[in-house]
Amino acid sequence: MSRVNHTTMSEFILLGFSHLGGSQRLLFGLFLPIYLVTLEANAVIVTTIVLDRRLHVPMYFFLATLSCSETLYTLVIIPKALVDLLAQHRAITITACAFQMGSFLFLGCSHSFLLAAMGFDRYVAICRPLNYARLMTRGVCMVLVAAASSCGSAVSLVVTFLIFGSPGPSSGRLQHFFCDIPPVLKATLPPGSPRRGVILALGALVLVIPLFLIAASYAHIVATILRIPSSRGRVKPFSTCASHLIVVTIHYTCASFIYLRPGAGDSSGRDALVSVTYTIVTPLLNPVIYSLRNRDFKAALNRVFERIFCPARL
């Protein structure tokens, strides 16, 4: 009997949307087109920014990086989720689960700090326009992206080790469609575990620190804009920040509900529904928001299409 108690499980069962029964095929028919459009939209953004030299400025460099991050983020989660919607046996090995969690933690944490870097870019552009070219050089942009990636990598390694470095899971069933932190915590670590406290604290810091930096940037931005005498002169600075603010609001609203609310470590079925927003819907909304609200990007997109499909006109 003792031997059985110490046997570690080799896989998790992802319950996901199994409670919906036959409706899972409808979800597959809904999620697959959204996923394909997301991949295409992000590919269009990156291609347009790379091919159009007028977009070779810090703001679009960060946008291209964000689009690449979104694409990788969905690749880590969505294909497996789509397969499971049609499968009878929705299992994932412990190793694959650790890899999936580590990958999406790296990308998700990097995403949060990248949004902070984009907020800093807007701060310099609006509050210190005369020094913008000197302060936001290519090297500085690369350092900001590297710093965001390093923070994401550090958090990912620590959290993944704390969860999967324990002797083994106590439960093999996850109330989710991927290996997110709350359901895996519930399956692997008891409620009073010190590791659980460290993990939840790290998750809070990853959300709070970038949000504080973004808020500080926009406090200076708002103060600067309000000093502009004409109301017409205030419109353009606000419009350049609108897309970023919308993306930040969506990102932090969903993430705060999952990771910062009381009892975040106690996963429930509703978490899976909320997770659909930031794993499937948000990666589609981000490129749409940035492209449709940005006149310069739409003009660049037209130039790229003309260059590719109508070269005779040039």
Side-chain angles (χ1 to χ4, degrees):
M1 191 71 177
S2 176
R3 182 179 177 182
V4 173
N5 288 340
H6 287 84
T7 301
T8 59
M9 297 182 182
S10 61
E11 64 181 22
F12 286 121
I13 303 299
L14 296 168
L15 299 180
F17 304 102
S18 58
H19 62 286
L20 298 178
S23 299
Q24 292 180 96
R25 294 186 178 274
L26 294 177
L27 289 179
F28 178 88
L30 175 64
F31 291 165
L32 179 59
I34 293 177
Y35 177 56
L36 295 177
V37 172
T38 299
L39 293 179
E40 182 179 359
N42 282 296
V44 167
I45 285 181
V46 174
T47 302
T48 302
I49 293 172
V50 170
L51 294 181
D52 195 291
R53 295 186 61 84
R54 300 184 194 182
L55 299 185
H56 291 184
V57 294
M59 183 175 75
Y60 294 105
F61 169 75
F62 289 127
L63 177 56
T65 305
L66 184 70
S67 292
C68 290
S69 175
E70 293 279 18
T71 302
L72 293 174
Y73 187 86
T74 57
L75 283 172
V76 169
I77 297 172
I78 306 306
K80 169 65 176 170
L82 289 172
V83 171
D84 286 347
L85 284 173
L86 302 179
Q88 294 295 325
H89 185 61
R90 305 175 183 88
I92 184 170
T93 65
I94 300 298
T95 301
C97 186
F99 175 79
Q100 185 183 63
M101 174 179 285
S103 298
F104 96 78
L105 273 176
F106 164 67
L107 294 166
C109 295
S110 300
H111 186 97
S112 293
F113 284 101
L114 184 59
L115 289 175
M118 296 174 77
F120 176 72
D121 172 68
R122 292 298 83 206
Y123 156 73
V124 177
I126 294 172
C127 300
R128 306 184 66 179
L130 298 179
N131 298 320
Y132 183 76
R134 180 174 61 85
L135 293 175
M136 296 303 296
T137 63
R138 179 178 296 183
V140 170
C141 294
M142 295 295 292
V143 168
L144 289 174
V145 170
S149 300
S150 297
C151 292
S153 178
V155 172
S156 171
L157 290 173
V158 171
V159 172
T160 304
F161 172 78
L162 288 175
I163 292 179
F164 292 94
S166 56
S170 58
S171 172
R173 300 166 69 85
L174 302 183
Q175 293 283 347
H176 220 297
F177 61 90
F178 72 100
C179 292
D180 202 358
I181 293 177
V184 176
L185 275 181
K186 186 176 182 180
T188 57
L189 298 175
S193 171
R195 295 189 180 198
R196 177 181 283 220
V198 173
I199 292 166
L200 295 178
L202 277 175
L205 286 175
V206 166
L207 291 175
V208 171
I209 291 176
L211 185 58
F212 173 78
L213 295 174
I214 293 170
S217 295
Y218 277 100
H220 288 285
I221 290 172
V222 171
T224 299
I225 292 176
L226 291 179
R227 287 197 292 267
I228 298 175
S230 67
S231 58
R232 189 172 183 179
R234 299 171 186 169
V235 173
K236 186 175 181 180
F238 269 123
S239 65
T240 62
C241 300
S243 298
H244 181 250
L245 282 174
I246 293 172
V247 171
V248 166
T249 300
I250 295 173
H251 174 78
Y252 280 98
T253 299
C254 297
S256 297
F257 177 83
I258 296 294
Y259 302 110
L260 296 185
R261 79 181 194 277
D266 299 322
S267 172
S268 63
R270 64 179 179 177
D271 287 3
L273 296 176
V274 176
S275 298
V276 169
T277 303
Y278 69 84
T279 58
I280 297 177
V281 179
T282 301
L284 173 63
L285 289 178
N286 287 354
V288 170
I289 290 169
Y290 274 108
S291 59
L292 293 183
R293 294 185 58 86
N294 192 304
R295 185 178 301 174
D296 293 336
F297 181 83
K298 287 189 288 186
L301 182 60
N302 289 332
R303 289 192 296 269
V304 170
F305 267 89
E306 289 180 359
R307 185 188 309 172
I308 296 175
F309 298 106
C310 305
R313 294 184 182 180
L314 300 179

